[in-house]
Each structure stands twice: as structure tokens, then as C-alpha cells.
Amino acid sequence: METRLILFGPPGVGKGTQAKLLAEQFGIPHISTGDILRAGAMAGTELGKKAKALMDEGKLVPDDIMVNLVRETLASPKTAKGFILDGFPRTIGQAKALSAIFKELKITRFQVVNFEVDDEEIIRRLANRLICPKEGKIFNLEFDAVESGGPCPSCGTRLIQREDDKAETVRERLRVYNAATKAVIEYYRQQGVVMTLDGTGTVDVVNREIRMML
Ligand code: AP5
Ligand code: MG
């Protein structure tokens, strides 16, 4: 049976970390709109350049751009056995557009995993996050044996802090989440597809909880 998940929640709640684990565990693709935009920015594509300016300020990229990007990605045969959507939808407009895409693709079954972690812990997690710019792997200074500017444990690339993980940009991202994104969960509650999860446990504990819920 296909596993189709939408991981939902504020920045830094652990969506990317769990999406990568679940993608491996279920053998299905991880579709992170943030990762796609960051890869475009690194490659210097038109979309990447436009998106980077907004991302670095903690603002959302316009709905039409994001919807086209997700429509193309979901139409790929790679998603036939399912997918994990991370970072989309982020506005009611995107959520409605995704419903239309699901209709076009005849997708009727999917679940939304709603992560909850308080703002203080989010700020702490993002202040300590490092990523591998090559593979997008995610680390944390508090519990992974990594250092800023040090090598990625899996490929050796120099680890960096995300541009939008500066304290003032994190505050703006949380503001944008509360103003534009949070309400999307109501859209899905009305469809009866939401599973809410306490995201404060360790990475392994949260992973086990998600798999038990499914
Ligand atoms: P995006 O890349 O999606 O960022 P985000 O939603 O802000 O979420 P993050 O990636 O910051 O957090 P996460 O929940 O993935 O946490 P992670 O697992 O890394 O989007 C970036 C930007 O792109 C947006 O601001 C916007 O500009 C643009 N964009 C993207 N999609 C868009 C869309 N649909 N519409 C418009 N614009 C869009 O974990 C964080 C840290 O915590 C890590 O260090 C990790 O190791 C650690 N951690 C993870 N789990 C745990 C745990 N259980 N316990 C302790 N630490 C943990
Ligand atoms: Mg992420």
C-alpha cells in the first residue's frame, strides 16, 4: 500500500530529520520544497536566485511558483509507491492547489503528521543546526559529533549554518508560520487526516511514534 505523508509544523520542529529517516525506512522519495529551492540557489538557476533572496529574509516564495514546482515533482513516476512531502503546503492557497493536484493524480489517501514543539526549543534547535550543503544532511551541535566548518561525517563536505538560521531570521520565520501557515492544519482537520505528534522526544523516539501512528 502507498504511504503518502505531509509533514507539517513550524521551522526547526524536525520535519526534515524525520522525512529523511522515513524515506529510507519506507523506500519512498522525500520531497522537501526548502531543499529543492536551496539546490536551485546553489546551482544559480533563475528560480533559485529569486527564491534565495526571499528565503534569506525568512519570507515565503510565491504560491504559483511553489505549486508548479510540486505539481511537476508529484507527477514523476518515482512517487508511484508514495512520498513524503516536507515544507508544503504552507498557505491555504497551496493546500487548495494540492487538493486539485491530488484530484488530477487520482490520489485519495494521504495523512498529515502535525509536529508540535515549543518556540524556545525550536530556537535552540535552529541555533545548533548544521547542514551538509552537498547532500542536505541535517546535524545538531548538541548531539552529533560535528562542528561548524568541519567535515560532513558521510561525505566530507564542509558543514555550514543555513543563512536563515540566524536568530533574527528565525524570529521572522516563526512569525510567518503563525501568520500564514498555522491555519493550514484546520483545512486538513476538516478532512479528518491529521495526526498530531509531540516532537520534543529524541529523534529515535519521535521516529518510533510516527511509525506507530501510521
Ligand atoms: P524549509 O527548508 O522548509 O524550512 P522550515 O520549514 O523553516 O523548516 P526547517 O527546515 O528549518 O526545519 P525542520 O522542521 O525541517 O527541522 P530539522 O529536521 O532540520 O524552508 C526554508 C524556506 O524556503 C522558507 O522560509 C521559504 O522561504 C522557502 N519555502 C520552502 N517551502 C516553501 C513553500 N511551500 N512555500 C513558500 N516558501 C517556501 O531539525 C532542526 C534541528 O533540530 C536540526 O539541527 C536537527 O538535528 C534537530 N532535531 C531534529 N529533530 C530533533 C529532536 N527530536 N530532538 C532534538 N533535536 C532535533
Ligand atoms: Mg527542513
Side-chain angles (χ1 to χ4, degrees), residues 121-137:
E121 171 69 7
I122 282 173
I123 289 165
R124 177 187 161 123
R125 286 184 183 183
L126 292 181
N128 288 302
R129 173 164 64 183
L130 292 178
I131 61 157
C132 172
K134 188 172 166 209
E135 301 178 325
K137 281 211 161 73

Side-chain angles (χ1 to χ4, degrees), residues 10-17 19-20 30 32 34-35 38 86-87 90 126 129 138 162 173:
V13 83
K15 303 180 297 294
T17 301
K20 285 179 204 297
H30 168 206
S32 157
D35 283 357
R38 276 184 292 279
D86 158 17
R90 271 170 132 99
L126 292 181
R129 173 164 64 183
I138 303 162
R162 258 170 57 176
R173 286 160 63 202

Side-chain angles (χ1 to χ4, degrees), residues 9-20 30 32-38 51-63 66-67 70 86-91 94 115 117 121-122 124-131 138-144 162 164-165 169 173 176-177 181 198-207:
V13 83
K15 303 180 297 294
T17 301
Q18 293 301 329
K20 285 179 204 297
H30 168 206
S32 157
T33 46
D35 283 357
I36 296 172
L37 296 174
R38 276 184 292 279
K52 188 174 185 327
L54 293 164
M55 292 170 87
D56 288 354
E57 284 183 17
K59 310 276 190 226
L60 294 180
V61 174
D63 281 358
M66 298 312 300
V67 168
V70 168
D86 158 17
F88 185 96
R90 271 170 132 99
T91 62
Q94 291 181 14
F115 288 66
V117 168
E121 171 69 7
I122 282 173
R124 177 187 161 123
R125 286 184 183 183
L126 292 181
N128 288 302
R129 173 164 64 183
L130 292 178
I131 61 157
I138 303 162
F139 301 96
N140 194 284
L141 284 167
E142 284 194 10
F143 51 82
D144 292 313
R162 258 170 57 176
D164 58 349
D165 279 348
T169 318
R173 286 160 63 202
V176 168
Y177 174 79
T181 305
D198 176 6
T200 50
T202 63
V203 171
D204 286 345
V205 166
V206 173
N207 182 250

